[in-house]
Amino acid sequence: MSDPPQDRRFQDFAEIASDWFWETDASHRFTFISGNRFNSIPETMSEILGRSRIEIVEFYGHPVPEHLFTLERIMDRHEVFHGFVYERPTNKPYERGRVQFCDLSGRPVFDASGAFLGYRGTGRDVTAQREREIRIRAMAEAEARRSAEMRRLVSMVNHELRTPLTVIDSSAQRLGARLGEDADAQLRIARIRASVSRAVDVIERMLSSARLEDGRVTTAKESLDLLSLVRDVTGLQKQSNPGFAFTIEADRPGFAVEGDRHMLEMVVSNLLANAVKYSGDSRDIGIQLGHAEGDRWVELAVVDQGVGVPPEELPMLFRRFFRASTARGLPGSGLGLSLVREFVQMHGGSVSATSAPGAGAVFRVRLPALA
């Protein structure tokens, strides 16, 4: 096959390209535009050639966007331009009323004597990209509004509920002291205090989540013994859940880490509360502490024998507000595990989970060991 003429080769490439090529005279009127998926209709081509961009918009009866006048002034100064994006009503008859975003580049053309002849350049339709950007921006603005509403709600809940909950808990505590050895009354009081504790825990999770979102959470790290901290938190969980058996296993007497005590207490508390909530018929919760990778890491594992989590849902387990399908019918906000992940990552650690439906779950937290 013989080689086609250079002009024909260029025309073939131009007509199948996703970008288009254009040329104007000294008055900025089109003298050439390559056939492409936006300008390939003969009627459209006849409407374009011999007119400037402004004249084309006016031909279709649309107001001329200000940025087209800006482009005309650039071309009047005979300047090279790249990535000039402007918005125009589409010239396709079957898409009247829609907007097209064009990304243009061009350079002036002069003859041998330096006289200005016009412009040559390329164009690209970036409508889909701009529409995605608009959708993403709208989604971000909607998310910001939801976040602001959540912060207002959290502030209101904290203000309206924390004080009466404190009053209820202290009143129940005093009542329990007065009733003495009445077993039935003590059981009811324990339930009241456990309910108050759960409500306060929900409020604390919401506050922590809101602070994280605002970037207002900072760590106050100190040298800690993770085993001692786990024992303290587990003791509180035993008081709130007297029907459960919490077993702590450790491969040595001390586990030194550098961390924020309040954050790590919330990590352990959330994991234990999660194990209790999804324990099903089982009442046994295991807590295991050990070292990994040559004592570089301290590892905490919380093990339950409960309802478990489907394997396909494990990657989403630490997302904010996500709740596994096996959690249907159980109370919860979906914040606890997301806070665990955030707080652990702020300590340079990681958290993971293994599970299967009906076979319980194991949550593992790794924190850098303190030398």
Side-chain angles (χ1 to χ4, degrees), residues 37-54:
R37 59 197 179 103
F38 298 103
N39 303 302
S40 58
I41 303 171
E43 292 82 357
T44 303
M45 294 292 285
S46 66
E47 294 167 358
I48 292 174
L49 296 179
R51 292 187 173 95
S52 69
R53 291 181 176 85
I54 290 178

Side-chain angles (χ1 to χ4, degrees), residues 348-362:
S350 62
V351 61
S352 61
T354 55
S355 182
V362 180

Side-chain angles (χ1 to χ4, degrees), residues 56-94:
I56 292 170
V57 172
E58 290 175 335
F59 173 79
Y60 285 113
H62 300 297
V64 179
E66 179 58 35
H67 39 245
L68 275 190
F69 291 114
T70 301
L71 179 61
E72 289 283 301
R73 289 192 289 271
I74 291 173
M75 296 173 73
D76 286 339
R77 296 193 296 268
H78 305 165
E79 296 177 0
V80 176
F81 58 90
H82 297 281
F84 185 94
V85 178
Y86 76 94
E87 175 185 340
R88 73 176 187 190
T90 180
N91 55 19
K92 289 189 282 190
Y94 53 86

Side-chain angles (χ1 to χ4, degrees), residues 283-299:
R283 291 295 181 267
D284 295 320
I285 309 296
I287 305 107
Q288 302 166 357
L289 286 102
H291 288 77
E293 296 183 20
D295 290 351
R296 288 181 55 237
W297 300 95
V298 169
E299 188 171 87

Side-chain angles (χ1 to χ4, degrees), residues 184-250:
D184 183 63
Q186 292 296 340
L187 178 61
R188 293 175 185 274
I189 289 170
R191 288 174 178 169
I192 291 172
R193 298 196 66 195
S195 296
V196 169
S197 178
R198 283 194 292 271
V200 170
D201 183 56
V202 169
I203 293 172
E204 186 61 36
R205 290 182 190 186
M206 292 173 68
L207 283 171
S208 296
S209 181
R211 293 188 192 108
L212 274 172
E213 197 166 273
D214 286 345
R216 292 187 287 116
V217 174
T218 57
T219 58
K221 293 183 179 180
E222 58 181 304
S223 178
L224 299 170
D225 177 15
L226 189 61
L227 177 56
S228 176
L229 184 148
V230 167
R231 283 173 175 160
D232 291 343
V233 175
T234 303
L236 295 174
Q237 286 291 331
K238 286 180 179 178
Q239 293 178 19
S240 300
N241 304 280
F244 282 79
F246 296 86
T247 304
I248 300 176
E249 299 177 6

Side-chain angles (χ1 to χ4, degrees), residues 268-293:
V268 178
S269 179
N270 283 351
L271 289 177
L272 293 180
N274 189 76
V276 167
K277 185 184 298 182
Y278 301 112
S279 61
D281 295 330
S282 172
R283 291 295 181 267
D284 295 320
I285 309 296
I287 305 107
Q288 302 166 357
L289 286 102
H291 288 77
E293 296 183 20

